[in-house]
Amino acid sequence: TAGAEDASGRRVPVAHACGHDMHVTCLLGAARLMAAARASWQGTLLALFQPAEEPGDGADRMLADGLTGRVPHPDVAFAQHVLPYPAGQVGTRAGSFLSAADNIKITVHGRGAHGSAPQAAIDPVVMAAMIVVRLQTIVSRELAATQPAVLTVGSVQAGTSGNVIPESAELLLNVRTYDEETRQAVLAAVRRIAKAECAASGALREPQVEEGTRFPPTVNDAAVTREVAAAFTAVFGEEAGTAELQSASEDFSRIPDAFGVPYTYWALGCVDPDLYQGARQRGSVAQDIPVNHSPRFAPVLQPTLDTGVQALVAAALTRLARPDRTSP
């Protein structure tokens, strides 16, 4: 029911459909606990509240505003994000964890006509439809099974009436990859397919393929991740484990990269454990457990909140605990 203006000025519905309200609250709680126990640790703790992760420009905006010159230079950076795992669990992963993401707009140009005279038109809707279908073959037929990638067409817009063939059509798509070689191969294939399908339809102009916002990959430092994983095992026991490779994307890594410091980013479970276990027993986790950005995605308050606060404190103490107080 809430609304806001997007980057183009359109009024759109908005929601905490990715859990960032939980992230902010966990960090506030962790900062409060650390401040209250100042005698138990040494060093400097910087709690960083980054805006605008969803459009992919929040970290860049902070850096452009002089972040690296405004705060003490860190030695390491930590971050966490709720994911659709059982609440109470935390999951770390060394190395590649989150994918890079590229947002692309393709505009195809045809020739408009009345729906009763398609022979007089060059139909951009048909061109767009053929491009959508052919794009699905990039991952399935042009990449090896060992090269993970995701390509999604999230929007197709054309025309205003059912009986009029429009002049153009617009496609918005998203590409997710884990290494630069695969990324370049997929982006090249997108351009090739769009151009070829338009040529096959006799389009009078080549398509416009515009690259939009991009998210970098999230690649966790192995040594830092091992330290944090060990602390999580000490605190959470069997509830600490290894997270799966994710095709979600983040701009968090731009900040530690700008400082030239290692980082690790982990998963925080947020689904009612009984609900998750029931779905797992039925073999219906993918169908019954809402994922981030689903309109049904709603992290349970507890134990998600306590676990998130404890995880941040445990991670911070891997670097800040006094020598005589090594236990998280």
Side-chain angles (χ1 to χ4, degrees):
T1 57
E5 285 191 1
D6 67 8
S8 66
R10 295 179 302 172
R11 189 75 179 175
V12 296
V14 294
H16 282 294
C18 202
H20 299 312
D21 49 344
M22 182 65 74
H23 306 151
V24 168
T25 309
C26 288
L27 184 53
L28 281 169
R32 183 174 182 177
L33 284 180
M34 294 293 285
R38 191 66 183 86
S40 299
W41 56 277
Q42 59 187 4
T44 301
L45 174 68
L46 174 67
L48 184 65
F49 296 86
Q50 181 209 306
E53 175 257 351
E54 299 296 354
D57 62 354
D60 281 342
R61 282 159 51 185
M62 294 187 82
L63 293 169
D65 194 45
L67 175 68
T68 56
R70 290 174 180 241
V71 300
H73 193 286
D75 298 310
V76 67
F78 300 126
Q80 65 183 10
H81 201 295
V82 290
L83 289 176
Y85 296 127
Q89 292 186 0
V90 291
T92 55
R93 185 180 185 87
S96 184
F97 185 27
L98 305 181
S99 67
D102 289 90
N103 292 304
I104 303 168
K105 180 169 77 171
I106 301 175
T107 305
V108 297
H109 304 279
R111 183 168 60 224
H114 195 265
S116 64
Q119 74 281 0
I122 299 175
D123 195 336
V125 176
V126 174
M127 279 189 271
M130 298 303 292
I131 290 171
V132 170
V133 172
R134 187 61 184 266
L135 287 175
Q136 307 312 307
T137 68
I138 296 175
V139 174
S140 65
R141 290 296 177 268
E142 297 192 33
L143 299 181
T146 54
Q147 285 179 280
V150 178
L151 190 155
T152 298
V153 180
S155 174
V156 180
Q157 302 286 333
T160 58
S161 175
N163 68 337
V164 177
I165 297 171
E167 291 279 322
S168 63
E170 180 184 278
L171 301 87
L172 301 179
L173 52 146
N174 179 263
V175 173
R176 296 174 187 265
T177 54
Y178 295 91
D179 62 81
E180 188 62 21
E181 182 181 358
T182 302
R183 175 177 175 264
Q184 291 297 338
V186 173
L187 295 181
V190 167
R191 292 181 176 276
R192 187 193 73 236
I193 287 171
K195 183 176 179 180
E197 290 293 350
C198 289
S201 296
L204 303 179
R205 293 172 55 189
E206 289 191 351
Q208 295 169 267
V209 181
E210 304 170 70
E211 296 183 13
T213 56
R214 182 188 177 225
F215 288 83
T218 300
V219 183
N220 287 332
D221 182 83
V224 172
T225 303
R226 281 195 300 270
E227 293 176 0
V228 171
F232 286 175
T233 298
V235 173
F236 301 111
E238 294 182 355
E239 296 300 297
T242 301
E244 299 174 348
L245 186 68
Q246 302 290 318
S247 53
S249 301
E250 254 287 353
D251 65 343
F252 152 76
S253 65
R254 288 189 171 127
I255 291 176
D257 284 348
F259 281 105
V261 301
Y263 63 84
T264 194
Y265 176 107
W266 61 84
L268 176 67
C270 66
V271 178
D272 180 277
D274 293 335
L275 180 68
Y276 192 96
Q277 184 61 24
R280 188 173 184 178
Q281 290 173 348
R282 294 188 300 271
S284 60
V285 170
Q287 294 75 34
D288 295 343
I289 302 302
V291 299
N292 303 59
H293 287 261
S294 161
R296 297 184 295 121
F297 183 76
V300 295
L301 180 60
Q302 294 294 9
T304 311
L305 179 59
D306 285 350
T307 304
V309 171
Q310 292 164 6
L312 288 168
V313 170
L317 291 179
T318 63
R319 294 302 179 98
L320 299 176
R322 293 186 180 277
D324 58 337
R325 302 191 183 196
T326 57
S327 174

